[in-house]
Amino acid sequence: MTVDTSSMILEQLRLIRKEIADLRTVTLANADRSRRLERRLEEMRDDIELMMKAELMGRLGHFETQVENRLDAMSDRIGEIMHGKA
């Protein structure tokens, strides 16, 4: 009976060690995936930030051009009025 009990205990210990090793492997894999996901999210955040800045700069440039054109037209009109060409 002692030999049977000892071998059963040893078998259970082997199984527990295997489960612990498996858990360690899964934990390390999850940690690695988490790091990769974190990096990917950071890259995506940077990409989105760059796209938003580019879009805003494009719209701002267009707005500035429109304002300049309107100011030029108003300036021309004022010049015509001042010189009696109205």
Side-chain angles (χ1 to χ4, degrees):
M1 187 63 96
T2 311
V3 173
D4 249 0
T5 307
S6 294
S7 66
M8 286 176 32
I9 290 173
L10 288 174
E11 182 61 29
Q12 288 300 315
L13 285 174
R14 279 189 217 110
L15 291 173
I16 290 171
R17 285 184 184 140
K18 184 181 178 335
E19 285 182 31
I20 290 172
D22 291 346
L23 285 173
R24 182 178 182 277
T25 301
V26 169
T27 302
L28 291 174
N30 282 339
D32 185 49
R33 287 184 189 137
S34 294
R35 273 187 246 113
R36 278 189 273 147
L37 180 60
E38 194 174 302
R39 265 187 308 232
R40 220 154 131 210
L41 289 173
E42 184 68 25
E43 290 169 359
M44 287 177 64
R45 186 190 65 79
D46 292 344
D47 290 346
I48 290 170
E49 182 180 337
L50 181 64
M51 288 186 319
M52 289 179 71
K53 284 180 181 178
E55 180 68 24
L56 288 172
M57 291 304 292
R59 288 179 185 243
L60 179 61
H62 180 68
F63 178 72
E64 287 175 344
T65 301
Q66 285 182 326
V67 169
E68 287 174 3
N69 290 340
R70 288 182 184 168
L71 288 175
D72 288 344
M74 288 172 31
S75 178
D76 291 346
R77 182 71 180 133
I78 290 171
E80 290 173 4
I81 292 172
M82 296 291 283
H83 292 66
K85 295 181 183 177

